[in-house]
Structures are given as structure tokens and as C-alpha cells.
Amino acid sequence: MDETSREIIERLKNIEGHVRGIQRMVENGEYCIDVVNQVLAVQRALHKVNRLVLDHHLHTCVSTAMSSQDAAERERVIAEIMDVFEATSKL
């Protein structure tokens, strides 16, 4: 496992713990805005994970495909990236 994967896993473990904390806040009837702020923090953390995964993908899979002689493979990875951008624009 490479360094980026280890970083992603560590971030996801932290997010998992944070989500459990939010669940406890709701169970304990904590102030709604405090819960919302914690949910926003998790969303920001997930956004950072997405950026790390996408960066890793671009520097590995996409880079390899783009230098390939296989035009279909190049088009496939371009379509994947476009699908990701389209999906994020709908958020």
C-alpha cells in the first residue's frame, strides 16, 4: 500500500469516528446547530478524501492510460473523469 492510500484510510477512519460522535450528539439531544456544524465538518473531510483519491487516480491510472497507444482506453478514462465532474456539479 502506498503513502496516499495510507493517508486516505487514516482520514476515513477519522471521519468514521467523527460520524459516530455526531450520532451520539443526536442521541443525546445536542443543540441542532452544533450537530449541523459537525456534519459540515465531516462533509469537508470527505471532500478532502475525494480530492486525494482523484489526485491519485489522475497521477496513476489516468496518466498510464493517456500515455497508452490504446485510443479506446484513453477515451474511457476521459469519459470517467467527465462523469465525475458532471456528478460533482449536481451536488
Side-chain angles (χ1 to χ4, degrees):
M1 185 181 315
D2 63 23
E3 183 61 33
T4 301
S5 296
R6 280 191 283 278
E7 181 179 357
I8 290 167
I9 288 170
E10 186 61 33
R11 285 177 181 268
L12 289 170
K13 287 178 181 180
N14 288 335
I15 292 167
E16 179 183 24
H18 203 146
V19 169
R20 278 195 232 104
I22 295 169
Q23 179 181 348
R24 281 190 301 275
M25 289 176 74
V26 172
E27 289 169 349
N28 295 334
E30 299 284 337
Y31 187 57
C32 296
I33 295 302
D34 292 341
V35 173
V36 169
N37 284 328
Q38 292 306 308
V39 170
L40 290 171
V42 167
Q43 289 173 328
R44 285 189 298 272
L46 284 170
H47 180 72
K48 288 179 186 176
V49 168
N50 268 339
R51 286 179 53 94
L52 283 171
V53 172
L54 183 57
D55 182 76
H56 184 68
H57 180 62
L58 290 171
H59 283 92
T60 56
C61 304
V62 174
S63 179
T64 300
M66 294 309 289
S67 63
S68 167
Q69 296 300 317
D70 185 350
E73 181 65 4
R74 291 192 306 267
E75 290 302 316
R76 185 188 68 76
V77 296
I78 290 170
E80 283 179 342
I81 297 300
M82 294 306 295
D83 288 346
V84 167
F85 280 113
E86 185 177 321
T88 58
S89 70
K90 294 178 182 178
L91 293 178

